Amino acid sequence: MKVKKTNPVFRIVILMVVMMLPASLFAQKPGWLTIGDSNGHGPDAWPAQLQRLLPSVEIVNHSIPGNTIGFDNLGQKRLNTLRNIHQYLQETEETLNGKAPQHILVWLGTNDAKKVFAQRQDEVKTNMESLIDSIRTYYLTRNQKAHITLISPPPMSPDSCILEKYHGGDKRLADIVKTYAGIAKEKQCHFINIYQPFHPVFQAMNKDGVHLIPEGEYIVARYILLHMDIPESMKPGHSK
């Protein structure tokens, strides 16, 4: 059986057409890294919602249910972001073929506000500062820059609506948000406060007093994009 040869002229035409296509068609998508907890985990979570809103960006999500900033939640080291941040960044680097993510979004603090950590709230500030420093150092050693956006955790419902392990959590979260604002200013990070604007309507946005429903995740994802330090053309509602 003879194999039919492709016409040389046809191959040249195809090559010329390919060369005329914009380079952007073949370029790797810019990457964003999201770091979070259970509110960031799953097909309807805020990182997934961001991905749908920004198809031109590749979202690399490291959100793990139970994750804290720097506590061994439930006695597990794997739920301590500070312990595992180097691994997160290495895996992100591999996914993005050695490129640094354009933006790193950190949404942590809900689990750090649990009742079991009530007497250790002074460590939250130190842990978040160390986490930001660790991220910056990782990229500095690679001659890359890390653009970090610090996102406050959302509110919690009153104690009567949540499990005992979260009791007193909303008050602790209010203090954490104030702490984050100071850290962001000191460390020159972009800060997005989702605690205060959504506090009045949080009862309609959650399923158990702590975790957002899909509609809530979408609303918050849009809010984050609207308040990100990105070009207006990337924000929801922009007319192209």
Side-chain angles (χ1 to χ4, degrees), residues 32 50 54 103-105 147 149 151 190 192 221-232 235:
W32 287 19
L50 284 182
L54 283 178
H103 292 278
I104 300 170
L105 286 68
H147 297 276
T149 295
I151 303 170
H190 191 62
I192 300 177
R222 282 183 61 92
Y223 186 88
I224 289 171
L225 277 186
L226 286 170
H227 291 82
M228 283 280 292
D229 185 17
I230 56 176
E232 289 296 319
K235 296 184 178 182

Side-chain angles (χ1 to χ4, degrees), residues 85 113 179:
I85 188 60
T179 298

Side-chain angles (χ1 to χ4, degrees), residues 119-228:
Q119 303 306 314
R120 300 179 62 185
Q121 291 301 289
D122 288 346
E123 296 176 47
V124 172
K125 180 177 187 293
T126 304
N127 289 338
M128 181 55 81
E129 289 172 339
S130 296
L131 181 62
I132 292 171
D133 289 343
S134 295
I135 295 171
R136 288 241 169 95
T137 299
Y138 181 91
Y139 289 107
L140 186 62
T141 58
R142 288 159 173 74
N143 295 317
Q144 297 170 323
K145 191 172 183 180
H147 297 276
I148 300 172
T149 295
L150 183 56
I151 303 170
S152 80
M156 283 188 193
S157 294
D159 288 356
S160 59
C161 303
I162 57 179
L163 295 174
E164 185 178 356
K165 65 181 179 179
Y166 294 114
H167 281 190
D170 192 57
K171 172 62 172 65
R172 289 188 286 275
L173 285 173
D175 292 336
I176 286 174
V177 172
K178 293 176 184 176
T179 298
Y180 279 13
I183 292 173
K185 185 175 181 180
E186 177 188 347
K187 298 288 185 180
Q188 296 184 324
C189 298
H190 191 62
F191 176 56
I192 300 177
N193 183 349
I194 63 171
Y195 176 89
Q196 289 177 328
F198 291 107
H199 200 282
V201 296
F202 189 66
Q203 287 293 81
M205 295 175 63
N206 77 83
K207 57 186 176 183
D208 56 8
V210 177
H211 299 96
L212 295 166
I213 59 175
E215 293 82 1
E217 298 272 14
Y218 173 74
I219 291 169
V220 170
R222 282 183 61 92
Y223 186 88
I224 289 171
L225 277 186
L226 286 170
H227 291 82
M228 283 280 292

Side-chain angles (χ1 to χ4, degrees), residues 59-76:
I59 305 289
V60 181
N61 184 25
H62 282 285
S63 293
I64 301 173
N67 250 8
T68 68
I69 305 163
F71 295 136
D72 291 349
N73 191 20
L74 305 174
Q76 299 183 45

Side-chain angles (χ1 to χ4, degrees), residues 49-62:
Q49 303 283 4
L50 284 182
Q51 184 64 86
R52 295 182 190 115
L53 289 165
L54 283 178
S56 61
V57 170
E58 181 175 0
I59 305 289
V60 181
N61 184 25
H62 282 285

